[in-house]
Amino acid sequence: MNNSRRRFLQQLTLSALAVPALNAYPFPLSHQSSGLANDKPILKVALMGLGGYAERVAEAMQSCTRAKITGLISGTPEKLKTWGAKYNVAEGSRYNYENFDQIKDNPEIDAVYIITPNALHHSQTLRVAKAGKHVICEKPMAINAQEGQEMVDACAAAGVQLLVGYRMRFEPNTLKAVEMRETGKLGKIKFFQGQTGFKIGDPNQWRVNKELAGGGSLMDIGIYAINGARYMVGEDPIWVTAQETKTDFETFKEGVDETILFQLGFPSGAVASCLSTYSMNHLDRFYLVGNDDFVEMQPSTGYGPIKGRTKNGPLNQPHTVHQTVQMDEMAQIILEGKKPILPVDGKVGLQDLKIIDAIYRSCDTGQRQELQLG
């Protein structure tokens, strides 16, 4: 038994001892009316980029027990005003993109959650780290591995933590599937399939702007299949092949991918086949196959509820608000050094970027790309 598997099983055992009736689910089941924990440290978070997903995060954080919104960063003065009033954020803790370096002098901010377009993550992370604050960055962590490495190095040099918004790594049905694999209930893992996609809609949005997104569907939705393949199979891939298909050249201009098929190979011999697309709906499915059983998850990465089943029936783990659990867990990682069952640190984000870089190279060259993720 390797060290990572031993650690995983130890964590599950401790969770089962704490809540034996809940099938080893290690997180609180309800955050709807719990309120902040008075006797434990609270992570004070500034949200950067007050768009649609930030709204979802902000609402979810109202039910957190270990994290609260204490700062806002936006380029839109009206948003700073309305959000500040709604979430009771003092005017002195509201910043724009020009002056947010001043957070270094604000003791009411421990960490910044960066929820801006992909191409901005790198420079903003470097500035937050320089200000001495922890970084939580939405995925993809950057637009390429070189930027990702610089972000990891900057946070390490500043002595701050870098976490990535991989909410699915805290989701209960996902963790149940991982537990089944780790405890051998699926047998030897042979195959994973990840299907991720939707119709993009507004052709003028930043997600199809190469300068802001750094790519297309792969950066936005395909990363779920990349990251999911890793935690579902339980290994890191050692090679990748990929093929790009484009039908709408007006919306998906040069450097913005519409649809990519990619295949991953793992050290054990397991393989993965994945699809990332901006041109069709109803694609949110993971399928993991072992010699003895399978796990199918559909939906697999949406906001919930996540549904999973095996040959013996549904997984039936409780639904939680993903971002509530994510932020409470990340607060404990940052404040208490808690080790999550599935890591969500900058190293994980950098490894995904190395895979993304290799997928794009394979699309360009038609050649298999070898991977060394470290």
Side-chain angles (χ1 to χ4, degrees):
M1 181 182 294
N2 62 37
N3 289 336
S4 63
R5 177 167 293 187
R6 184 178 294 108
R7 184 168 61 252
F8 179 90
L9 295 177
Q10 287 171 342
Q11 288 175 287
L12 287 174
T13 300
L14 290 173
S15 299
L17 290 173
V19 281
L22 299 180
N23 203 17
Y25 176 52
F27 311 127
L29 295 185
S30 176
H31 293 261
Q32 300 310 308
S33 59
S34 51
L36 293 172
N38 294 322
D39 58 339
K40 295 180 181 179
I42 303 300
L43 185 69
K44 294 172 286 189
V45 180
L47 299 181
M48 178 186 290
L50 306 182
Y53 188 68
E55 289 185 17
R56 185 179 292 274
V57 171
E59 287 302 307
M61 287 185 67
Q62 302 315 294
S63 299
C64 281
T65 61
R66 300 300 305 275
K68 68 176 181 178
I69 302 169
T70 59
L72 299 168
I73 304 169
S74 173
T76 307
E78 185 60 31
K79 284 187 177 181
L80 289 174
K81 181 179 179 180
T82 57
W83 282 57
K86 182 175 182 179
Y87 297 111
N88 196 29
V89 176
E91 285 191 36
S93 292
R94 306 175 196 172
Y95 303 87
N96 59 44
Y97 294 124
E98 285 70 46
N99 68 10
F100 76 79
D101 306 273
Q102 296 173 14
I103 61 174
K104 69 179 184 298
D105 300 317
N106 191 338
E108 290 303 306
I109 295 174
D110 300 320
V112 176
Y113 193 165
I114 298 173
I115 315 177
T116 56
N118 307 336
L120 305 180
H121 294 175
H122 171 261
S123 63
Q124 290 169 344
T125 293
L126 299 191
R127 290 172 65 185
V128 172
K130 188 175 181 181
K133 306 299 183 180
H134 301 291
V135 179
I136 302 170
C137 185
E138 255 313 301
K139 59 194 176 301
M141 193 173 80
I143 61 172
N144 56 54
Q146 179 179 339
E147 285 193 354
Q149 185 66 63
E150 291 172 1
M151 293 162 68
V152 169
D153 293 344
C155 289
V160 300
Q161 294 199 49
L162 171 59
L163 305 180
V164 186
Y166 290 123
R167 59 185 168 82
M168 301 312 303
R169 288 181 168 237
F170 302 110
E171 194 279 322
N173 280 295
T174 299
L175 289 178
K176 184 62 180 177
V178 172
E179 177 197 344
M180 292 182 66
R181 186 205 70 234
E182 286 286 344
T183 54
K185 292 181 179 178
L186 305 182
K188 181 177 173 60
I189 299 302
K190 306 294 288 185
F191 176 71
F192 171 79
Q193 184 180 57
Q195 299 172 334
T196 53
F198 58 88
K199 289 185 178 180
I200 190 59
D202 180 6
N204 298 312
Q205 63 181 285
W206 71 264
R207 287 177 177 82
V208 288
N209 180 330
K210 176 67 162 59
E211 297 304 311
L212 290 175
S217 70
L218 187 68
M219 303 293 286
D220 181 33
I221 191 69
I223 193 171
Y224 283 99
I226 293 169
N227 196 259
R230 297 174 61 199
Y231 62 67
M232 293 291 280
V233 174
E235 300 178 70
D236 285 330
I238 55 176
W239 59 258
V240 62
T241 54
Q243 307 81 38
E244 180 179 2
T245 301
K246 188 175 292 190
T247 62
D248 181 353
F249 292 88
E250 181 61 30
T251 300
F252 305 102
K253 297 179 172 60
E254 182 68 24
V256 179
D257 49 285
E258 177 183 353
T259 300
I260 291 182
L261 288 162
F262 60 95
Q263 302 79 39
L264 303 168
F266 297 87
S268 66
V271 293
S273 176
C274 301
L275 170 66
S276 168
T277 186
Y278 269 162
S279 66
M280 62 191 89
N281 291 324
H282 314 301
L283 286 175
D284 185 7
R285 178 178 179 267
F286 284 178
Y287 188 59
L288 181 69
V289 179
N291 282 336
D292 300 330
D293 203 347
F294 69 89
V295 175
E296 181 183 39
M297 304 183 73
Q298 187 175 13
S300 58
T301 65
Y303 294 135
I306 301 301
K307 302 290 186 181
R309 70 181 183 96
T310 72
K311 69 179 183 181
N312 295 313
L315 294 182
N316 281 334
Q317 296 299 296
H319 172 60
T320 61
V321 177
H322 297 175
Q323 295 80 5
T324 305
V325 178
Q326 172 194 327
M327 295 308 294
D328 271 345
E329 287 294 308
M330 286 184 168
Q332 294 172 75
I333 293 169
I334 290 173
L335 296 174
E336 300 170 1
K338 181 175 181 178
K339 300 297 183 184
I341 291 174
L342 297 175
V344 291
D345 54 42
K347 178 181 178 181
V348 176
L350 175 58
Q351 290 168 329
D352 281 349
L353 291 173
K354 290 179 178 179
I355 297 171
I356 287 173
D357 285 355
I359 289 173
Y360 283 135
R361 287 198 305 271
S362 184
C363 287
D364 289 341
T365 66
Q367 302 296 314
R368 167 169 148 166
Q369 302 294 309
E370 305 301 318
L371 293 170
Q372 292 184 336
L373 301 185

